[in-house]
Amino acid sequence: MANSIGQALDRVDGRLKVTGAATYSAEHKIENLAYAVIVPSTIAKGRITSIDTTAAQRVHGVLAVLSHQDRLKLAKSPKDIQPGSPADRVLQLLQDDQVVYGNQPVALAVAQTLEAAQEAASLVKVHYAAAKPSVTLDRPQHDFYVPKKMGGPGEPPDSNRGDVQAGLAEAAAHIEQTYSTPFQHHNPMETHATIAVWNGADKLTLYDASQGIFGDRNRVAELLGLQPDDVRVISLYLGGGFGSKGPTWSHVVLCAMAARHVNRPVKLVLPRPLMFGPVGCRTETRQTIAAAAKQDGSLTALRNEVLSHTSTFDEFCEPASIPTRMLYSVPNNTTHQRLIRSDIGTPSYTRAPGEAPGTYALECAMDELAYALNMDPLELRRKNYATEDEDKKLPWTEKALNKCYDLGAERFGWSRRNPEPRSMRDGNHLMGWGVATALYPARRSESSGVARLASDGTVHVDAGSQDLGTGTYTIMTQVAADGVGVPASQVVFRLGDTRYPATPVSGGSQTAASTGSAVYLAARALREKLIQMAIADSRSPVHGARTSDVEIENGRIGMRGDAARSETLRELIGRSGQPNVQGFADTKPGEEAKKYSGYSFGVQFAEVRIDADLGQMRVERMLGVFNAGRILNAKTARSQFIGGMVWGISFALYEHSVYDERLGRVVNNNLAEYHVPTNADVGTVDALWVDDPDDRVSVIGARGIGEIGITGAAAAIANAVYHATGKRVRDLPITLDKLVSS
Ligand code: MOS
């Protein structure tokens, strides 16, 4: 099929973005717009005893200062809503005096200007009866509970096969260690932003920075008592999402409530500090792993017991145990997940939820086991290669991880590694090399799309969907081009509007496989119609031909292998008198989804350089090699992979939302103190891939690549730090104080 697919096509929206012409959610020009600013709670647990809005009301230009005292009406209490999708969260919508986390919205100032709204918000006086919050995993075991199910597609929280005790007993070597990962808050460049515009009492348009416009539409409609069709959500461009914009959060509904109250369109943009609390986070995790093997390296037992947080009012379980269940071949395997209720905003999906912390712990444990066995860590992984999903007892849709290991080892120069810790030096710098496996599930959901040939010969394709900045506009353009048989330059692809055909949330790395399949099949349906139209058209060069003899290529329809007998699609539709011809597709995963287990795999190599005296660290070099089905665009794919890997550097060495244990609030809720790597912190990062199409996951062979790049990355770096220093830090981030302390 491929012509356009796979090419390193520049982003079709690149020019719009660099010239500022791409309209992000907060940038829509709306008449008579008012501005809302949230007053966040300054305590994490307790009750509001009184709110004094007198001074705030006096600010010039203020339209309303809203709190629970105003008893704004909802069609349903947020507490009574049953989740319709795994991304549905329980919201705080000024309905009562309860405070359940720090930075919870407790009031809202609405004014004619942003400045007036900010001033008014700063003058709202909230008095609390504060209780002592808890945000720690250091709690007695009986405080933890078994979750109903885990985030993602809802795997069970516990798994078991074989007999781990027996496996441990028969081993020649075993390790048991606890690995900790900290709270992290996703901070896309674009913070959350919503503009709510009412048209009468029952029609609402939301310009919303959303990764899932249909879920957003349904959630808002339910809470406000509207028909879903009466809510239109538009999300044309996103400045990143990483999972934070997957669920609908409180501010979206509050913005619509405020707009209804003041009877004007209202814009609400979250300032950076409010990214820490009301819009999800990656929970802290503590994973206790036991790993055991015979002298030849074959695993006899693997166990992972995971502790993580949820909120007091909602449940989200970070599925960190998944990699331990299925990544390696091992007869005795058990995992469990336990949750603690903490006084925090509900944790939620954060890039590679589960797999990111899960691969960190498992892949460090594998490194420790390799050292205990005196075996090369890459060899240990090859030795325990899983040829099927032993947890689900299903064959893989397609797996080429061995090819990734081979290619990666060769390109990185792994055979030149001296396994001895502290053995590779460069002057006063300790050098270390580490390796880890990467993986992420291949997800796909029902999705639809429509393709039309316009009278000028242009192919117009629409599908709801979203582009987080990942390149969705571009890959869909390529997929549609190949589906019809036209150059990509002849395709106009639109997304980000609930008036377009329904599509899933852009989460779980599923957009390419889900919406890509719909777009491809809609394009094929259009192609089919055009071929039939031409065959029936007495003036067409293919008039009367057999279907199988007709082809559309490069925008021309003609007899296969006979360029002289062809014409442009524009000529064909021009004669037809029809304004356009249309193909539609509504697709969902086939039976294959039940018969196979779909995962993408990869390998991460890292080189670190550490000052022997001061412990200062730098990741000099990273190489990731991925097996993720057909790669749709070599350029945007590379960006996705290396972007994920850079977040892996961040995960290993920098990111940490620090809670003040007394207040239950994040101390470093800004980008000055919430550390992420800058360009100077990132050495050479490269990504390669094994381009094996996976036709069992999608008709276009794609599996999706948004999340796999971060997986395994932190472990590769942590393992490299051990190799460099001989010191095993099992508590991320690895900061220099942890390295120099004894
Ligand atoms: Mo991703 S965390 O599923 O947006």
Side-chain angles (χ1 to χ4, degrees), residues 186 211 241-244 246 349-353 440 443 468 506-509 707:
H186 7 42
Q211 287 175 235
F242 312 117
S244 78
Y349 304 93
T350 308
R351 201 174 197 174
Y440 193 78
R443 299 219 168 89
L468 280 66
S506 287
S509 300
E707 288 162 278

Side-chain angles (χ1 to χ4, degrees), residues 121-402:
S122 75
L123 294 172
V124 174
K125 289 198 183 67
V126 186
H127 298 280
Y128 302 97
K132 189 171 161 31
S134 173
V135 189
T136 177
L137 294 176
D138 291 320
R139 292 252 295 259
Q141 211 157 14
H142 63 254
D143 282 1
F144 288 84
Y145 74 100
V146 185
K148 282 196 284 291
K149 57 179 188 176
M150 295 198 290
E155 277 100 339
D158 290 18
S159 72
N160 189 48
R161 63 176 184 270
D163 179 344
V164 164
Q165 283 311 326
L168 291 171
E170 69 171 299
H174 92 270
I175 62 113
E176 179 157 4
Q177 294 294 351
T178 299
Y179 303 88
S180 308
T181 66
F183 277 106
Q184 298 176 347
H185 283 80
H186 7 42
N187 273 283
M189 289 297 285
E190 177 204 34
T191 65
H192 293 248
T194 309
I195 298 175
V197 186
W198 287 88
N199 180 4
D202 57 4
K203 299 243 189 305
L204 174 65
T205 300
L206 292 174
Y207 300 89
D208 191 28
S210 170
Q211 287 175 235
I213 55 176
F214 290 93
D216 215 21
R217 177 193 71 176
N218 297 346
R219 197 62 161 162
V220 170
E222 192 178 11
L223 283 161
L224 298 181
L226 305 171
Q227 292 304 312
D229 282 348
D230 289 333
V231 179
R232 180 181 183 189
V233 179
I234 295 170
S235 181
L236 300 182
Y237 298 95
L238 287 159
F242 312 117
S244 78
K245 294 167 183 166
T248 300
W249 298 105
S250 303
H251 68 275
V252 178
V253 187
L254 287 173
C255 183
M257 290 161 72
R260 184 155 67 180
H261 186 82
V262 301
N263 200 22
R264 276 172 74 160
V266 168
K267 169 151 87 178
L268 199 171
V269 178
L270 291 193
R272 185 60 64 183
L274 287 197
M275 297 302 289
F276 296 78
V279 289
C281 64
R282 193 199 294 282
T283 169
E284 176 185 22
T285 71
R286 200 168 287 173
Q287 302 177 61
T288 302
I289 297 197
K294 297 180 188 161
Q295 197 53 59
D296 71 352
S298 35
L299 287 168
T300 57
L302 268 183
R303 181 175 65 209
N304 190 358
E305 296 165 332
V306 185
L307 304 180
S308 62
H309 299 265
T310 187
S311 64
T312 57
F313 53 91
D314 196 358
E315 184 169 299
F316 174 82
C317 181
E318 174 94 16
S321 59
I322 298 291
T324 303
R325 293 180 186 182
M326 46 55 70
L327 184 51
Y328 295 109
S329 178
V330 55
N332 308 302
N333 184 297
T334 172
T335 69
H336 81 220
Q337 304 238 174
R338 297 294 177 264
L339 288 178
I340 191 90
R341 292 205 179 275
S342 295
D343 299 298
I344 55 173
T346 312
S348 184
Y349 304 93
T350 308
R351 201 174 197 174
E355 284 76 14
T359 51
Y360 158 66
L362 175 64
E363 292 299 286
C364 287
M366 289 294 280
D367 198 68
E368 298 207 46
L369 183 62
Y371 274 97
L373 289 160
N374 200 17
M375 187 173 182
D376 177 78
L378 187 57
E379 220 26 65
L380 178 63
R381 288 166 172 88
R382 289 183 199 270
K383 178 82 190 169
N384 295 287
Y385 199 80
T387 52
E388 61 166 20
D389 182 335
E390 295 181 1
D391 177 50
K392 297 204 180 92
K393 300 188 174 52
L394 292 173
W396 305 114
T397 55
E398 185 271 342
K399 179 177 181 180
L401 176 56
N402 265 335

Side-chain angles (χ1 to χ4, degrees), residues 31 207 282 315 319 331 386 388 418 432 443 511 563 641 700 710-711:
E31 284 279 301
Y207 300 89
R282 193 199 294 282
E315 184 169 299
E388 61 166 20
N418 178 343
R443 299 219 168 89
T511 297
F641 290 134
I700 52 175
I710 188 176
T711 71

Side-chain angles (χ1 to χ4, degrees), residues 456-666:
D456 66 354
T458 313
V459 176
H460 292 260
V461 184
D462 298 337
S465 206
Q466 306 76 210
D467 188 336
L468 280 66
T470 48
T472 309
Y473 278 106
T474 310
I475 60 167
M476 295 304 163
T477 299
Q478 292 170 280
V479 166
D482 285 2
V484 180
V486 300
S489 58
Q490 216 171 309
V491 175
V492 178
F493 176 74
R494 297 188 299 183
L495 56 66
D497 190 331
T498 50
R499 294 207 171 153
Y500 301 152
T503 54
V505 61
S506 287
S509 300
Q510 66 173 344
T511 297
S514 309
T515 303
S517 293
V519 163
Y520 183 72
L521 292 173
R524 294 299 288 186
L526 169 61
R527 175 194 176 97
E528 217 35 63
K529 278 196 182 167
L530 294 172
I531 289 174
Q532 295 313 324
M533 215 171 101
I535 289 171
D537 179 348
S538 60
R539 285 173 290 172
S540 159
V542 302
H543 176 63
R546 284 194 316 219
T547 307
S548 58
D549 291 335
V550 181
E551 70 178 4
I552 303 179
E553 216 176 59
N554 208 21
R556 299 184 70 85
I557 181 165
M559 295 301 289
R560 193 175 298 279
D562 184 357
R565 287 182 62 190
S566 71
E567 64 175 348
T568 62
L569 292 177
R570 181 182 179 160
E571 288 169 294
L572 171 68
I573 192 162
R575 279 194 310 275
S576 76
Q578 299 187 37
N580 63 58
V581 183
Q582 176 173 316
F584 178 82
D586 188 3
T587 71
K588 52 182 163 214
E591 282 303 298
E592 280 82 1
K594 290 178 208 136
K595 289 191 279 196
Y596 296 90
S597 176
Y599 274 86
S600 289
F601 295 95
V603 63
Q604 305 263 14
F605 293 88
E607 175 179 282
V608 298
R609 170 187 292 276
I610 300 175
D611 186 295
D613 299 319
L614 303 175
Q616 285 172 321
M617 276 167 284
R618 186 168 192 268
V619 176
E620 288 282 296
R621 200 158 64 99
M622 280 193 86
L623 173 67
V625 183
F626 302 98
N627 159 221
R630 175 175 280 126
I631 295 304
L632 300 176
N633 180 310
K635 191 173 190 176
T636 57
R638 191 184 128 79
S639 292
Q640 281 299 290
F641 290 134
I642 66 175
M645 292 163 73
V646 169
W647 199 345
I649 297 175
S650 199
F651 203 121
L653 304 183
Y654 300 101
E655 272 181 74
H656 182 187
S657 303
V658 181
Y659 276 87
D660 183 319
E661 302 252 326
R662 299 157 304 169
L663 299 173
R665 288 168 57 83
V666 179

Side-chain angles (χ1 to χ4, degrees), residues 426-465:
D426 178 14
N428 197 40
H429 289 142
L430 301 166
M431 306 299 289
W433 289 6
V435 68
T437 306
L439 80 155
Y440 193 78
R443 299 219 168 89
R444 186 177 156 197
S445 303
E446 181 168 5
S447 188
S448 53
V450 64
R452 295 181 199 88
L453 181 69
S455 55
D456 66 354
T458 313
V459 176
H460 292 260
V461 184
D462 298 337
S465 206

